[in-house]
Amino acid sequence: MSIQHEFHRRCPWWLGYVLINPLRRWRQDPKKILGPYVREGMTVLEPGPGMGFFTLELARLVGPTGRVVAVDVQQRMLTTLGKRAAKAGLRDRLDLRLVRDGGLGVEDLAGKADFALAFAMVHEVPDPARLFREIKAALKPGGILLLSEPSGHVKEKQYAETLDLARAAGFTLGESPAIALSRSSLLR
């Protein structure tokens, strides 16, 4: 069975509250995970941000001159993310977008994004090959994608298939950062 059919299950919106629980930082600290790759002034693409566990830290890291484009398939996730960002004083750094027609809708970013984060979401996408092509098109030359999938949901063989799809989209495999409970790779 292909990866495209085996994992196409969407995280329910209510689970988003569990995923933003502050206790999660003990195992997956967004600042430690993202700090080595994201700088002030960058443009960042984050498909599947949920309620923003990583998004708010991305907004802090890009600073007032940067921008985070967060794209999700669930309006409830984006609404909660927007409220959380406003409360943190970061809403003006975010461009929140709802997926339409199965694509990310980021054609306006073509060649402009410095960094992309796909964290624990590729296994939920019905067409990961398309997702990788769209992320690749949004990235600048030399741009980086941090791909991370939950090791409890995505087994080694399936992760290897995911990496093959990323390579087919034009990415080259870089190092594999150690992120708790995850299989992770930097793709250039």
Side-chain angles (χ1 to χ4, degrees):
M1 186 179 287
S2 81
I3 190 170
Q4 293 166 324
H5 296 98
E6 191 167 344
F7 285 112
H8 178 57
R9 290 187 291 269
R10 185 180 304 163
C11 176
W13 68 267
W14 53 265
L15 191 57
Y17 290 105
V18 174
L19 296 174
I20 60 173
N21 184 315
L23 296 176
R24 182 178 175 195
R25 292 180 183 281
W26 287 350
R27 298 296 300 266
Q28 295 178 333
D29 181 342
K31 189 171 187 175
K32 287 181 182 174
I33 292 169
L34 302 169
Y37 315 110
V38 181
R39 301 282 175 260
E40 179 143 355
M42 282 186 164
T43 296
V44 173
L45 171 61
E46 185 186 15
M51 293 182 178
F53 181 74
F54 290 99
T55 316
L56 297 185
E57 189 58 40
L58 286 168
R60 287 181 190 98
L61 289 167
V62 300
T65 62
R67 166 170 98 139
V68 178
V69 179
V71 184
D72 207 290
V73 295
Q74 298 183 69
Q75 185 60 55
R76 282 184 162 179
M77 296 285 199
L78 292 172
T79 299
T80 301
L81 170 54
K83 289 177 184 176
R84 293 181 68 233
K87 186 176 178 180
L90 301 168
R91 182 63 183 91
D92 62 330
R93 300 176 191 185
L94 300 183
D95 177 354
L96 303 179
R97 300 182 186 187
L98 185 64
V99 168
R100 304 239 185 253
D101 301 322
L104 292 178
V106 294
E107 295 78 13
D108 60 309
L109 283 184
K112 296 178 183 174
D114 300 284
F115 179 79
L117 175 67
F119 202 97
M121 55 77 60
V122 174
H123 67 278
E124 296 182 358
V125 174
D127 188 352
R130 178 179 179 181
L131 174 74
F132 286 124
R133 287 190 306 271
E134 290 182 1
I135 293 172
K136 178 76 170 138
L139 287 171
K140 290 179 179 178
I144 297 172
L145 165 61
L146 173 56
L147 169 67
S148 190
E149 288 285 80
S151 54
H153 290 318
V154 179
K155 302 302 177 209
E156 199 169 326
K157 180 180 185 270
Q158 291 132 349
Y159 188 69
E161 291 172 358
T162 299
L163 290 177
D164 287 343
L165 292 173
R167 283 188 200 97
F171 284 101
T172 57
L173 184 60
E175 59 267 24
S176 298
I179 300 174
L181 310 172
S182 303
R183 302 180 194 288
S184 304
S185 302
L186 284 178
L187 303 168
R188 301 178 191 282

